[in-house]
Amino acid sequence: MSKLRFKVVEEAYNRKATPVEIPIERPDQYYGKYVFNRQKMAQYLPKDIYEALVNAIDNKEPLSRHVADSVAEGMKRWAIDNGARHYSHWFHPLTDGTAEKHDAFIDLDGNGGVVEEFSGKLLVQQEPDASSFPNGGIRNTFEARGYSVWDVSSPAFILGKTLCIPTIFISYTGESLDYKAPLLRAINSIDKAATGVAQYFDPSVKHVTSYLGWEQEYFLVDESLYSARPDLVLTGRTLMGHESAKNQQLEDHYFGAIPSRVEAFMLDLEIECHKLGIPAKTRHNEVAPNQFELAPIFEETNLANDHNLLLMSLIAEVARRHKFRVLLHEKPFAGVNGSGKHNNWSLGTDKGVLLFAPGRTPMGNLQFITFVVNVMAAVHRHNGLLKASIMSATNSHRLGANEAPPAIISIFLGTQLSGILAQLEQSTKDELINLAGKEGLSLGMSQIPEILVDNTDRNRTSPFAFTGNRFEFRAVGSSANCASAMIALNAAVAEQLFDFKEKVDARISNGETLNHAILEEIKILISESKSIHFDGNGYSEEWKIEAAKRGLDCEINVAKIFDAYLEDKSIEMFRKTGVFSKVELEARNEVKWEMYTKKVQIEARVLGDLAINHIVPVAMRYQAFLVDNVLKLRKLFSGEKGEDITNRDIVAIESIASHIAKTKDEVAEMIEARKKANRIENEREKAIAYHDTVVPSMAKIRDYLDALELMVDNEMWPLPKYRELLFIR
């Protein structure tokens, strides 16, 4: 094994950058090449069909069968012209990934041949097996029927040689079995709720759009090293490994020069993204060694989420072309920063006004304050739910690790905005708000121009921070489907805006002026949601104590965190906004508990195998080598001299023997804990048992194995070490 380790390390060190074929055209000439966007629609569809489809997209209206048939024909011709031979409904099951089944564009012609066919019926609806995907008991094994249904708002695209049609996925009885269906419901709900409030300030507003800008962090590992680590292959993270003497403590990787091999991969990835209409814009080194980030331009939330999921599959394929493996796990390496996927979220009207941006007039600023305070109130009311929306077996390793937000939801507003809210709360007059936009700041150096300073600083320790014209939900994990967080956030804010409008309207009906009614309700919300507002250091132990005193959700048991979905206030909020029924919520929680258990179970099995079949035999072999050395030395040097010479080896032998014994005992205890937990039928109780008994046992085993790594001869150690995994270019 040691020979294999040194071989793969040598391969990784000698690997050269893969040349990337750069298109001759400018990016704007090939951008969206494989997307059936409005330009392609206009080219391949009759004018009346194009107009009907655009109207359905913009105004969320149903399509007739005739229009669907014409769209299918045009879409098929475009796809075949671009090399596609198959089509697939592309959907988001409850696995945090995507699913697709490919069908060829052919049917029998009755004369022994085939014809190319793709009808409106095939475009609009297909029938995947609903019992074979996670469903939380909604479908039994013998009840297989489910439907994937075309989402007209998200454009079809060609991936490889297959036309992919974004769809929702529902059961035969109508419950959603995916992320897209409830996301679309939440987006529709926030549109309706926010439009009603925005019309106080501009009656001509007809729609409010939810926007998302995600920041995808990831690690790259050389493929040969990756293949030599069973834990990386099977779980996406290293279950053992002593940290390198040098990791990120010099802070020299963040925003540093991108290694040429990585830059070649990034360029290749960006070209593929642009061809698929993913507006990739920013790339840079992240904090940890071999960690990087890609971020796009903001898009409508549903489309942005589709693009992120498409990227997550695309990035893996491109990485393999460059002899890399991409790690999207939130914590693939202990001792260095993990990876998140910050969700930058905002709302904008169809008049081009961003609702979280300060206005140019007092009324514009009142609108800004109105929406910010309602978000603050929604986050306060549903802080436990928002935490549950981003929690998972994988993200639990990252949160609260002094590199990411803690497992406590709070909201950062910044000095200026915090001061204005405090002033408003105490005000006895109907005073409209004057807010400073970006102000000039002179640095006193003639060669440096004046810079513009935002009206808020940034707080990287806050899980939910106001950053100028948007909120940054920083707690989302790198492997997650953004829809989980976006469903909870948009629905919670929609509920709050519905309530706010109802109360303001009641005040107006009782004779109050619009400004007075809005300001009075704002004051109440500011006072009621104070406990969620925290601008300090979210990493500190003091904040955890303070958060508990404030009554915020401080639960750290992953399985119990999911309970927030089934609280009465959550069930009522999702019912009121039309996002989830109680049955759907109960089913999804069953899936969450089951997925948590399975992921920990897999990790425990892999760790047990690594410990007993990889590390312990090598440690015993080295131990035997030391014993043989002691015997030979004492034979050569008799008496006290021999004892003196071999004392340190004796100590090392005893230490290795102790760690081997502890490892074996703890693995046996972990297996028994797993067997005991597996006998529990209730999914929630089983997940709690895994969290409380199996996870702590795994941590102890890791401690013993990491200690052995420092004791055993480097040439004998069977697995690539952190210093080899993290510093390959």
Side-chain angles (χ1 to χ4, degrees):
M1 286 296 292
S2 61
K3 290 182 179 179
L4 172 61
R5 173 176 152 232
F6 285 114
K7 179 182 178 182
V8 297
V9 170
E10 184 180 28
E11 286 179 1
Y13 271 113
N14 292 332
R15 195 91 68 192
K16 302 297 182 182
T18 302
V20 178
E21 184 176 344
I22 303 175
I24 298 174
E25 315 101 306
R26 300 191 310 270
D28 63 335
Q29 294 175 321
Y30 61 81
Y31 187 85
K33 177 180 179 180
Y34 296 124
V35 181
F36 194 61
N37 53 27
R38 297 195 182 195
Q39 178 188 8
K40 313 296 191 332
M41 292 176 191
Q43 181 181 352
Y44 280 86
L45 300 179
K47 184 178 180 182
D48 61 326
I49 300 299
Y50 168 77
E51 291 175 350
L53 179 57
V54 169
N55 181 62
I57 294 170
D58 291 344
N59 298 309
K60 302 175 183 178
E61 296 181 356
L63 286 173
S64 69
R65 176 64 181 270
H66 165 67
V67 172
D69 282 336
S70 294
V71 172
E73 177 60 28
M75 193 182 289
K76 180 195 72 176
R77 287 192 293 109
W78 168 76
I80 291 174
D81 287 349
N82 283 274
R85 291 293 175 265
H86 293 75
Y87 63 91
S88 172
H89 275 201
W90 182 81
F91 57 98
H92 314 166
L94 301 178
T95 58
D96 282 340
T98 59
E100 55 196 66
K101 173 177 70 76
H102 300 184
D103 287 293
F105 284 118
I106 61 168
D107 200 359
L108 296 176
D109 65 1
N111 297 312
V114 295
V115 293
E116 294 173 340
E117 184 190 53
F118 184 56
S119 66
K121 179 182 178 181
L122 296 174
L123 167 63
V124 171
Q125 180 179 317
Q126 286 192 350
E127 186 184 320
D129 189 337
S131 66
S132 296
F133 290 99
N135 61 68
I138 286 179
R139 305 300 290 161
N140 293 307
T141 302
F142 60 87
E143 297 174 317
R145 195 181 296 278
Y147 301 114
S148 55
V149 185
W150 180 29
D151 170 18
V152 300
S153 65
S154 187
F157 56 90
I158 296 172
L159 192 60
K161 299 296 182 182
T162 301
L163 170 66
C164 295
I165 302 146
T167 62
I168 65 170
F169 181 38
I170 59 174
S171 73
Y172 177 71
T173 46
E175 295 89 359
S176 64
L177 297 175
D178 69 342
Y179 283 104
K180 181 184 275 284
L183 178 62
L184 290 173
R185 295 171 188 166
I187 290 171
N188 289 337
S189 187
I190 193 73
D191 178 6
K192 183 177 179 181
T195 297
V197 175
Q199 285 174 345
Y200 286 144
F201 306 95
D202 182 356
S204 68
V205 171
K206 294 182 180 179
H207 289 290
V208 168
T209 300
S210 169
Y211 293 101
L212 169 63
W214 41 264
E215 304 169 25
Q216 182 69 62
E217 296 176 345
Y218 59 92
F219 282 82
L220 289 175
V221 176
D222 186 89
E223 67 173 5
S224 55
L225 296 171
Y226 171 88
S227 299
R229 291 283 309 217
D231 47 358
L232 279 180
V233 173
L234 297 176
T235 74
R237 77 179 180 107
T238 53
L239 300 175
M240 53 161 288
H242 198 282
E243 67 179 80
S244 171
K246 177 185 181 297
N247 47 52
Q248 65 186 50
Q249 63 265 53
L250 296 180
E251 300 171 336
D252 54 346
H253 186 66
Y254 189 54
F255 277 27
I258 300 172
S260 59
R261 185 178 164 203
V262 174
E263 188 171 10
F265 153 77
M266 288 179 167
L267 176 59
D268 196 1
L269 177 61
E270 287 171 0
I271 292 171
E272 295 297 330
C273 282
H274 292 163
K275 289 178 181 178
L276 286 165
I278 304 172
K281 183 173 178 66
T282 300
R283 66 187 189 192
H284 62 82
N285 290 2
E286 256 300 335
V287 174
N290 277 14
Q291 186 187 31
F292 309 93
E293 180 181 296
L294 179 149
I297 300 169
F298 278 53
E299 297 179 287
E300 182 274 326
T301 297
N302 178 46
L303 179 59
N305 190 57
D306 280 355
H307 280 166
N308 181 249
L309 288 166
L310 180 54
L311 170 86
M312 288 168 70
S313 60
L314 187 65
I315 195 173
E317 179 184 339
V318 175
R320 287 193 290 271
R321 290 208 295 253
H322 293 260
K323 307 300 182 182
F324 282 123
R325 289 293 184 271
V326 64
L327 305 180
L328 294 178
H329 193 289
E330 283 77 4
K331 192 72 172 179
F333 302 102
V336 298
N337 279 16
S339 296
K341 179 154 50 192
H342 304 170
N343 279 204
N344 295 277
W345 172 76
S346 63
L347 298 174
T349 72
D350 54 353
K351 304 302 178 183
V353 175
L354 288 177
L355 296 175
F356 300 142
R360 297 181 179 179
T361 65
M363 281 301 289
N365 283 326
L366 179 59
Q367 176 175 258
F368 160 69
I369 291 294
T370 296
F371 278 91
V372 167
V373 170
N374 273 279
V375 170
M376 184 176 169
V379 173
H380 176 250
R381 185 189 299 186
H382 294 290
N383 68 94
L385 174 65
L386 289 174
K387 180 167 71 175
S389 75
I390 55 86
M391 186 51 66
S392 65
T394 53
N395 205 22
S396 64
H397 295 287
R398 166 179 166 261
L399 296 181
N402 281 1
E403 66 197 59
I408 302 168
I409 299 296
S410 63
I411 192 167
F412 167 84
L413 297 175
T415 304
Q416 183 187 6
L417 188 51
S418 298
I420 288 170
L421 296 191
Q423 177 186 337
L424 269 177
E425 184 187 8
Q426 301 301 321
S427 175
T428 58
K429 301 178 182 179
D430 290 353
E431 297 175 329
L432 297 184
I433 305 102
N434 286 310
L435 280 170
K438 291 190 176 184
E439 298 179 347
L441 175 65
S442 174
L443 299 180
M445 293 175 279
S446 59
Q447 66 270 41
I448 303 296
E450 180 182 70
I451 65 172
L452 293 177
V453 179
D454 290 282
N455 52 29
T456 177
D457 198 354
R458 299 186 71 178
N459 186 333
R460 68 185 301 272
T461 73
S462 174
F464 196 90
F466 176 67
T467 56
N469 59 8
R470 62 189 182 276
F471 286 92
E472 185 178 20
F473 199 177
R474 295 176 51 86
V476 183
S478 56
S479 68
N481 186 323
C482 297
S484 181
M486 289 295 100
I487 290 166
L489 179 58
N490 281 285
V493 174
E495 178 202 40
Q496 175 57 42
L497 290 171
F498 280 132
D499 290 350
F500 178 80
K501 187 175 189 305
E502 185 178 328
K503 292 174 181 177
V504 170
D505 287 349
R507 285 180 176 272
I508 294 173
S509 297
N510 290 329
E512 296 183 27
T513 65
L514 175 62
N515 286 354
H516 180 78
I518 291 174
L519 285 167
E520 287 305 306
E521 286 302 319
I522 285 175
K523 292 175 187 178
I524 294 171
L525 293 178
I526 293 171
S527 178
E528 290 178 346
S529 55
K530 271 185 177 179
S531 60
I532 200 69
H533 177 202
F534 179 66
D535 284 358
N537 181 8
Y539 293 168
S540 68
E541 291 298 318
E542 292 79 8
W543 166 234
K544 296 177 184 178
I545 298 171
E546 174 64 21
K549 290 180 180 177
R550 293 188 186 191
L552 302 181
D553 190 313
C554 298
E555 180 62 63
I556 59 173
N557 185 314
V558 177
K560 293 180 180 179
I561 287 172
F562 294 145
D563 289 345
Y565 274 99
L566 298 179
E567 292 179 357
D568 289 343
K569 62 182 179 181
S570 299
I571 293 172
E572 175 59 19
M573 181 272 287
F574 284 123
R575 183 203 64 78
K576 184 176 180 180
T577 54
V579 174
F580 285 125
S581 67
K582 185 178 180 181
V583 170
E584 287 174 318
L585 286 171
E586 290 171 341
R588 282 165 188 269
N589 260 30
E590 288 292 305
V591 172
K592 288 178 182 292
W593 287 317
E594 184 180 5
M595 292 298 287
Y596 175 81
T597 297
K598 287 180 176 178
K599 286 184 178 181
V600 176
Q601 184 183 75
I602 291 169
E603 288 188 350
R605 287 173 172 171
V606 173
L607 181 59
D609 171 59
L610 284 176
I612 300 303
N613 297 320
H614 291 68
I615 305 305
V616 166
V618 171
M620 292 177 69
R621 197 179 312 142
Y622 182 61
Q623 181 186 47
F625 168 80
L626 291 178
V627 170
D628 183 62
N629 189 55
V630 168
L631 293 175
K632 289 178 178 177
L633 285 172
R634 287 192 172 180
K635 201 170 186 179
L636 183 63
F637 302 101
S638 60
E640 292 184 5
K641 186 174 183 181
E643 291 181 5
D644 289 343
I645 292 173
T646 57
N647 275 343
R648 290 183 180 177
D649 280 348
I650 294 293
V651 172
I653 291 167
E654 290 176 346
S655 183
I656 292 172
S658 173
H659 280 80
I660 290 173
K662 289 177 181 178
T663 298
K664 289 180 176 180
D665 290 344
E666 197 60 49
V667 169
E669 288 187 25
M670 179 187 70
I671 292 172
E672 285 305 309
R674 202 170 69 233
K675 289 179 178 178
K676 184 177 180 181
N678 289 341
R679 289 193 288 269
I680 301 173
E681 293 187 4
N682 181 278
E683 290 295 347
R684 178 181 181 274
E685 297 305 316
K686 185 188 294 185
I688 291 173
Y690 263 86
H691 180 279
D692 292 346
T693 61
V694 178
V695 170
S697 190
M698 290 173 63
K700 291 179 183 178
I701 294 169
R702 175 169 192 151
D703 286 343
Y704 301 144
L705 298 182
D706 289 357
L708 283 171
E709 184 178 323
L710 295 182
M711 300 177 193
V712 174
D713 185 349
N714 180 62
E715 290 190 4
M716 297 177 68
W717 195 254
L719 304 177
K721 298 185 176 183
Y722 270 27
R723 68 170 185 266
E724 296 157 350
L725 289 164
L726 285 169
F727 295 95
I728 300 297
R729 292 292 184 263

